[in-house]
């Protein structure tokens, strides 16, 4: 049963109960470039109480450094280690969960954010923003789609430079290289903002169709991102709360990972959607806004 | 029950029974650039008997004129009207079956073959090989993904110049323009030749994923291509035979369309695969090679 948090006592109880808070950002902390009222003060107050934060985002186009810049600009305290983007989580998952071998490399279908995070964990990579792979090849000229036995994983995220060469190379490695991992940062089909424009799920679709095989998905709502966090830090699941505005990503992510969840109503989903019988996931708590916690911090 | 054609009498019976023969080409008439033995003579003999031919191909990258060039090179008599490529069939379907309005245009995600065939039936188009749409856009710069209320259909085929801009424009038209048709020339995921390289089904996958909607598919094994042929010519279904080497495209195409089918064993599928209990489609007849008909022509 979902519980509504309305009184000061309700909110106080939550603050006392959880040590670690995972936040979705868009629709929770900000809306585009605008902070949601009181959220800045609430985050500062929770920090002062010693709460540990993780900002959990499916955006794989930016590195954690680049993600941090937005927090800096809005005047919210944030450390690089607080950010768990699907790009970083994918790199960390390859490194820590799959024990990716040092002599292998990852073929990237995606933007610089993914390359930066592979660099940050010391995994070699090809493809991505390499100018040699960001070209159009001539019709029926497959001469540049060559083998590379060093590729041990194909990692895909939103790639606004997607092209036939990258798709065909990725498929070739997956087909030819034994045990080659097929990993997606996230499968979101459209951006929550930007007028529902095409997102990462679309740019990985050609590989899924060609290979007839599903990738291991790291981003929300899959459990891999949480697994990656739990593997990196030593945390007590019963003291972790996931806060988000979307049932089908944020709340489902928490449910899949076996942690408590709180839906805020400052973003995509409404109270009615959360309470609907066929809701894709039921939050543990609902609160109008993260800003409501101003009364207890 | 599938019937094996082995004796001269068996073959004679087929020749007498059917007026119109639909041929798949690769694996039936030729294998890459090599003619399958005796096939050239068989085709010439069947022509002399007054049989009508249609060469039915899912290849949408070439116009019928360009397809005909291969027949010319191999010395096989072939007229432009004998060729039913998925590109031409798509243009004909839009024109004759969907009565596509003259004031609208088609947005093409595909190669020149599709544009040529739209031209041949007098349908206006945009996208395709237009240099303005064959570019990479900057990360998160959606400024060029603008509306176009004139687009009444998005037609997709293999596009070796696939890019984010085309995908996003196609999705925008499908979302914004009421009644906008979503049409695919074919959904083959890999080329039968060229080392299973990525094919048209892969380049339409991003739109299917983003829109959460299936296209109307024209090419084999869908019935639309046959519908397009039947609508253009006045043919008696009981006198049409489809000849092919693949169960999941050619034979299934005939079965879906309610015509007789003949599997040849000079291409992809084997006799055992055709006779397997879970075969995707059962041919009416099996013959070792189209060349076997040399004894009756």
């Amino acid at each position: 049963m979902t519980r509504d948090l309305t009184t000061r006592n309700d909110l106080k109880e939550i603050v006392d109960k959880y040590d670690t808070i995972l936040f979705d950002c868009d629709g929770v902390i900000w809306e585009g470039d605008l902070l949601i009222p009181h959220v800045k003060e609430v985050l500062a107050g929770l920090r002062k109480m010693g709460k540990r934060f993780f900002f959990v985002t499916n955006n794989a186009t930016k590195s954690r450094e680049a993600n941090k810049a937005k927090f800096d600009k809005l005047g919210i305290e944030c450390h690089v280690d607080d950010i768990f983007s699907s790009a970083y989580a994918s790199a960390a998952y390859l490194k820590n969960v799959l024990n990716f071998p040092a002599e292998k490399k990852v073929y990237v279908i995606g933007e610089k954010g993914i390359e930066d995070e592979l660099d940050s964990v010391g995994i070699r990579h090809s493809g991505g923003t390499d100018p040699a792979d960001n070209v159009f090849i001539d019709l029926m000229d497959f001469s540049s789609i060559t083998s590379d036995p060093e590729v041990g994983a194909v990692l895909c995220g939103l790639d606004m430079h997607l092209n036939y060469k990258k798709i065909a190379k990725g498929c070739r490695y997956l087909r030819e290289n034994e045990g080659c991992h097929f990993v997606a940062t996230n499968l979101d089909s459209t951006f929550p903002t930007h007028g529902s424009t095409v997102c990462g799920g679309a740019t990985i679709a050609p590989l899924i169709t060609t290979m007839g095989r599903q990738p291991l998905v790291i981003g929300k709502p899959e459990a891999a991102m949480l697994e990656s966090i739990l593997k990196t830090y030593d945390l007590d699941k019963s003291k972790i709360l996931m806060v988000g505005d979307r049932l089908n990503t944020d709340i489902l992510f928490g449910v899949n990972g076996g942690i408590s969840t709180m839906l805020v109503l400052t973003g995509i989903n409404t109270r009615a959607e959360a309470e609907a019988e066929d809701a894709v996931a039921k939050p543990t708590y609902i609160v109008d806004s993260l800003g409501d916690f101003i009364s207890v911090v």
Side-chain angles (χ1 to χ4, degrees), chain A residues 107-110 114 154-158 182-186 200 203-204 207:
Chain A
Y107 187 73
V108 176
I109 298 180
I114 294 177
V154 176
L155 172 56
C156 309
L158 171 64
F182 182 25
V183 184
T185 58
N186 61 301
T203 64
I204 194 177
L207 280 90

Side-chain angles (χ1 to χ4, degrees), chain A residues 200-213:
Chain A
T203 64
I204 194 177
L207 280 90
I208 295 174
T209 298
T210 305
M211 303 308 300
R213 172 179 163 192

Side-chain angles (χ1 to χ4, degrees), chain A residues 16-35:
Chain A
D16 291 342
K17 186 165 179 186
Y18 299 98
D19 281 347
T20 300
I21 312 177
L22 274 47
F23 294 101
D24 174 50
C25 299
D26 211 54
V28 176
I29 295 172
W30 56 65
E31 184 73 60
D33 282 325
L34 296 176
L35 272 169

